[in-house]
Amino acid sequence: MKREEQSVTALVRDGADLIFIRQYREPVGATVIQLPGGGVEEGETLEAACRRELSEETGLTCGRLIYLGSLYAASWLCNEITHVFYSDEVIRQGVQTLMAHEEEIEIIRVPVTESLDAIRDGRIRDSELCCAVLQALLRGLIP
Amino acid sequence: MKREEQSVTALVRDGADLIFIRQYREPVGATVIQLPGGGVEEGETLEAACRRELSEETGLTCGRLIYLGSLYAASWLCNEITHVFYSDEVIRQGVQTLMAHEEEIEIIRVPVTESLDAIRDGRIRDSELCCAVLQALLRGLIP
């Protein structure tokens, strides 16, 4: 079996809001609303990678992270597997520490109900974000 | 703006069952449960492409197709945009007409409740399938 490329994303709920990022994605030529996340580094656990990416991209520190499972973003194209975590325990809002290629990551807070509306009407159409929301809905973590 | 690579997928409900396909996906080195679908050909409408792919991969002919929206499978990696259709009108079950590279597509019927369980526990983890199910849930098309 092939070794998969591992990445992590975090669906964070802070009270009534979900926390997303907005960034320009060159391959699609558009600004896309997504979850904070990124690649797992050598020797890093999935949860540690998730906390690191969350901190770098949003400045957030969370308490308990709940593992929601994994997904194939594009199994017909790449060997990437994305692990999805959820937290509703925002402990601290620090500052972003972005890498050079992440210079333009905007943090947005979207109420849960508006997030679902935005998915339904296509303003949000990122696969990882939608998969994470589905997992959270199926577990009753978001109303 | 870049020209996007267009593809289509179909979430089909036949009574209490959802109809999926199962095929080996070389990039992830695993057999993956997905929706029937594929690329849009030159000059083809999205709906026509969806009906063609559905017929080729499953032998199914459906009545009304409802457009559920589109998603970026992997906007950080490729310019593919996937358009998702839904139908609960199965008119005819014919035979598959697979291309050489699709020789091993198995058609499976999974009750809706079991499908949701399989997503929750990770047996189903294809991004397009999960996004389609989320859209159908948000619209009340599946219970």
Side-chain angles (χ1 to χ4, degrees), chain A residues 62-80:
Chain A
C62 287
R64 187 173 63 137
L65 291 182
I66 299 171
Y67 184 66
L68 299 188
S70 64
L71 64 109
Y72 294 129
S75 67
W76 57 96
L77 190 69
C78 67
N79 68 343
E80 189 163 345

Side-chain angles (χ1 to χ4, degrees), chain A residues 27-47:
Chain A
V28 296
T31 297
V32 182
I33 297 173
Q34 299 183 281
L35 299 181
V40 178
E41 293 178 356
E42 188 73 31
E44 201 174 33
T45 65
L46 297 177
E47 183 172 330

